[in-house]
Amino acid sequence: MTRIGSDTSSPAVSAAAPALLSVRDLDVRYGAICALQGVSLNINPGEIVTLIGSNGAGKTTLLRTISGLLKPANGEITLLPTSPSPHPPTALSKLRPHEIVRLGISHVPEGRQIFPNLTVSENLLLGAYQRRDDLSADIARCHTLFPILKERQSQKAGTLSGGEQQMLAIARALMSRPRLLLLDEPSLGLAPLIVRKIFDIIREINAEGTTIFLVEQNAHLALKIAHRAYVLQTGRILMTDSAQALLANPEVQKAYLGG
Amino acid sequence: MLQFTQELIIGLSIGATYALLALGYTMVYGVLRLINFAHGEVYMVGAVSGFHFINLALRWHAPLALALTIAFVGSAIVCAILGFCIEFFAYRPLRGSPRLVILITAIGVSLLLQNVVNLNFIYGPTPRTFPAEVQKGLNTSIGIGGVYISRLIIIRFALSLSLMAVLTWIILRTRTGLALRAVSHRFDTAMLMGVNTNRVISVTFILGSVLASVAGVMDGLRYTITPLMGVTYGLKAFVAAVLGGIGSIPGALIGGLLIGITEEFARFYLPTQYTQYADAVAFVILIFILLLKPTGIMGSTAVEKV
Ligand SMILES: Nc1ncnc2c1ncn2[C@@H]1O[C@H](COP(=O)(O)OP(=O)(O)O)[C@@H](O)[C@H]1O
Ligand SMILES: [Mg+2]
């Protein structure tokens, strides 16, 4: 029953290239509350896919389930393995969060959640916790993307401004060299100028080859940088289309774009 | 003045053992927001295993220094395994349960350990001391500028300080230490970094238990060993952790030293008919902290993690 709603609105996913991440009929509950019901979506390699929805729609719940912090009541999440063809997609819902990080998914949580008592450098090192190889190239890349982090490297992360903390949170997530980057409302509480800067960098990270799943309440901005988008409403996928089409969609304009 | 210095040194050496134990409370609280009330029993098991190991070593005619080393190392291994098991079997299945459930479990683990050690083939209820030859060897005093310090006090100091230095190094300079600090700040975000939080929690219990074992053996060298010795002592170390600010590692050091010094001064300077109240000093301090600064000396004002 829950499936009908999401299936009719899902476009035919390109049959040729398998999705990098695939979410099928996902139900997630907090006790008796159903936060997600029958959610299905696909993220193809190289895309920026955005999920828009108002406060309480279940966006954070979906990201936390993908990362393994929450266990679904039903449904499955699968990730394309790194090595091609013979391997079937890996099912994520039985794995623990650190194992999911190791498979190449990195999550920038809502509200940034940097470690305020650790230095900027230590925060970056934690982002690479699963790796045992040389990190200097990755640290250099983070410093190029966000020069302010280089200046502040030995400062406690708690002393950074909100925008700098968001940059640190993104840089920290890049340290694990993710194939898929999950971003939970990176624009939250930031000045428009900083938001624009961060969104430019998101696009740059994508251009360098990282697939991005961007969750936003700020639908306008998100739709502008995304290739495709899903609309989530009270735990269900309401519609999905190319980002351009949704920008032009009167229903979306009315509900999420302020007119 | 000499007397004062002497008492201060004794107080610091007592405080150093409180600090070792307080570190265990504070580290576990840091990662799990849980007061491990069975920690005092790990200390007790440390003393009891030290007792068994040293007797075994002396039976094999090991020289004193070797016998002591065997006692410390053996007891550390026993306690490391015990600490790991307590977390793995008692606390881990209850992760996410209401605090009251976990608290009751902790008390249950304490009672279990006390009663197991109370069994005659393990140790038994009779208070015992380390062999006389060990005590004699350690009680020889060394005079420095009129202040007399026993070898035992020197050992207590040297061991406590070096262990604290090692712990500080682990926490500030190693990968596991970094993970431990991250988990202490926020559990789920640490998981998103790829930290295996179960492993970090096990390491925390093992580290805390090793420190407790050393405190146990050192106190075994000084006092009598009984299955109940961990109760008061554990509580006092807990007070030290609260005094310093529970969750704070420097806080545990400061809290432990302060409790040790005040207790020793109370014991020495109170009129003789009141010396028995020296033990109560820690608890009077606890009441004052709870009234004046519930977060402790180094405690953060950070809100409770839910
Ligand atoms: N820990 C929780 N316990 C119970 N309900 C929760 C919890 N977290 C979120 N919810 C509920 O689940 C729904 C979705 O929340 P969330 O995923 O945070 O939405 P969004 O990120 O889209 O704002 C909301 O109704 C919220 O109240
Ligand atoms: Mg949210």
Side-chain angles (χ1 to χ4, degrees):
Chain A
M1 198 218 97
T2 50
R3 231 197 276 171
I4 304 167
S6 43
D7 271 2
T8 45
S9 56
S10 294
V13 177
S14 64
L20 176 63
L21 185 90
S22 166
V23 175
R24 282 287 148 255
D25 303 324
L26 199 69
D27 294 346
V28 181
R29 305 205 174 98
Y30 294 104
I33 307 165
C34 289
L36 293 177
Q37 276 183 294
V39 168
S40 295
L41 54 83
N42 282 305
I43 298 165
N44 300 314
E47 279 187 312
I48 300 182
V49 174
T50 184
L51 178 75
I52 57 177
S54 43
N55 199 10
K59 306 180 297 298
T60 299
T61 303
L62 177 59
L63 289 195
R64 289 172 72 85
T65 312
I66 295 173
S67 299
L69 292 174
L70 295 171
K71 293 294 161 214
N74 278 304
E76 189 49 274
I77 303 170
T78 51
L79 182 75
L80 200 64
T82 23
S83 40
S85 53
H87 297 271
T90 323
L92 299 186
S93 57
K94 299 273 179 311
L95 299 181
R96 303 200 39 233
H98 67 273
E99 297 167 316
I100 294 176
V101 173
R102 198 182 302 151
L103 289 175
I105 298 183
S106 208
H107 182 161
V108 180
E110 185 176 58
R112 324 182 233 290
Q113 302 298 351
I114 47 103
F115 296 101
N117 302 326
L118 306 186
T119 64
V120 169
S121 304
E122 286 172 330
N123 270 275
L124 290 182
L125 287 182
L126 265 170
Y129 193 75
Q130 284 284 343
R131 292 177 47 193
R132 300 284 194 161
D133 50 336
D134 180 38
L135 301 176
S136 46
D138 301 82
I139 290 172
R141 180 187 175 213
C142 287
H143 287 168
T144 320
L145 283 174
F146 306 104
I148 188 77
L149 298 183
K150 184 174 189 178
E151 272 170 52
R152 301 281 151 88
Q153 55 184 318
S154 44
Q155 220 165 301
K156 293 265 190 271
T159 63
L160 300 182
S161 72
E164 291 163 355
Q165 290 190 4
Q166 187 64 64
M167 294 177 191
L168 176 59
I170 295 173
R172 182 181 68 176
L174 290 176
M175 290 297 293
S176 65
R177 294 203 180 157
R179 289 188 286 153
L180 174 63
L181 184 63
L182 310 175
L183 294 159
D184 197 343
E185 300 207 33
S187 73
L188 197 74
L190 300 182
L193 205 67
I194 312 262
V195 173
R196 200 154 320 135
K197 198 165 150 192
I198 284 174
F199 273 59
D200 283 344
I201 287 174
I202 293 173
R203 219 185 318 208
E204 195 177 326
I205 292 166
N206 175 250
E208 286 171 18
T210 309
T211 309
I212 285 171
F213 187 35
L214 169 67
V215 156
E216 264 296 344
Q217 270 192 68
N218 191 335
H220 193 73
L221 267 172
L223 289 173
K224 271 186 150 172
I225 70 162
H227 303 111
R228 286 191 306 119
Y230 291 84
V231 179
L232 188 70
Q233 197 178 56
T234 53
R236 291 165 194 267
I237 300 283
L238 190 68
M239 58 177 101
T240 172
D241 211 328
S242 74
Q244 267 174 325
L246 282 183
L247 265 176
N249 183 318
E251 209 181 321
V252 172
Q253 286 186 341
K254 189 152 169 283
Y256 301 101
L257 300 172
Chain B
M1 192 59 213
L2 277 184
Q3 194 64 57
F4 179 86
T5 316
Q6 180 138 352
E7 293 309 315
L8 185 67
I9 289 172
I10 295 174
L12 281 172
S13 86
I14 294 173
T17 27
Y18 282 138
L20 285 184
L21 211 56
L23 282 167
Y25 282 103
T26 235
M27 287 198 302
V28 166
Y29 184 85
V31 295
L32 285 179
R33 299 296 185 270
L34 143 78
I35 310 289
N36 176 18
F37 275 113
H39 195 55
E41 273 55 52
V42 176
Y43 155 88
M44 177 273 292
V45 169
V48 168
S49 351
F51 172 87
H52 285 316
F53 277 114
I54 208 155
N55 280 314
L56 203 65
L58 290 177
R59 213 169 305 143
W60 290 340
H61 306 290
L64 184 59
L66 179 63
L68 273 174
T69 313
I70 290 174
F72 276 111
V73 173
S75 148
I77 293 171
V78 169
C79 287
I81 295 169
L82 178 65
F84 173 84
C85 290
I86 290 176
E87 192 276 323
F88 192 85
F89 292 109
Y91 297 145
R92 189 167 298 187
L94 297 176
R95 190 94 42 85
S97 305
R99 267 153 205 253
L100 189 61
V101 173
I102 299 175
L103 184 69
I104 292 168
T105 305
I107 295 170
V109 173
S110 289
L111 291 175
L112 176 73
L113 290 172
Q114 286 164 15
N115 284 291
V116 167
V117 175
N118 216 20
L119 295 172
N120 276 321
F121 70 96
I122 304 265
Y123 183 78
T126 327
R128 281 182 272 184
T129 58
F130 272 39
E133 49 205 295
V134 180
Q135 305 232 346
K136 209 170 114 233
L138 290 177
N139 283 336
T140 15
S141 288
I142 299 165
I144 306 164
V147 178
Y148 285 89
I149 311 165
S150 69
R151 277 197 201 171
L152 178 60
I153 285 178
I154 296 173
I155 292 179
R156 284 172 83 121
F157 252 126
L159 257 181
S160 309
L161 291 183
S162 35
L163 280 175
M164 286 171 200
V166 170
L167 182 73
T168 310
W169 177 81
I170 291 177
I171 287 172
L172 294 181
R173 291 275 172 272
T174 68
R175 197 169 161 271
T176 305
L178 184 63
L180 203 150
R181 284 182 286 155
V183 173
S184 299
H185 176 71
R186 219 187 130 132
F187 213 86
D188 53 355
T189 313
M191 285 177 152
L192 292 182
M193 299 299 105
V195 173
N196 181 351
T197 43
N198 280 340
R199 226 193 110 248
V200 170
I201 290 164
S202 293
V203 169
T204 306
F205 273 82
I206 290 171
L207 285 175
S209 302
V210 168
L211 298 182
S213 81
V214 175
V217 178
M218 290 199 296
D219 279 353
L221 290 169
R222 193 183 153 94
Y223 310 113
T224 51
I225 302 165
T226 74
L228 294 178
M229 68 188 282
V231 178
T232 328
Y233 201 87
L235 269 178
K236 281 198 230 159
F238 169 63
V239 172
V242 174
L243 171 62
I246 189 131
S248 155
I249 285 173
L253 300 183
I254 295 171
L257 293 177
L258 278 178
I259 296 276
I261 294 168
T262 39
E263 203 178 289
E264 180 57 27
F265 279 150
R267 207 189 310 280
F268 190 77
Y269 288 111
L270 280 179
T272 27
Q273 68 267 37
Y274 296 127
T275 10
Q276 53 184 326
Y277 292 113
D279 269 353
V281 168
F283 302 105
V284 174
I285 294 176
L286 178 66
I287 292 169
F288 276 104
I289 318 160
L290 292 180
L291 287 174
L292 299 175
K293 192 170 188 294
T295 51
I297 297 170
M298 306 286 284
S300 58
T301 46
V303 282
E304 192 73 335
K305 180 166 81 175
V306 226

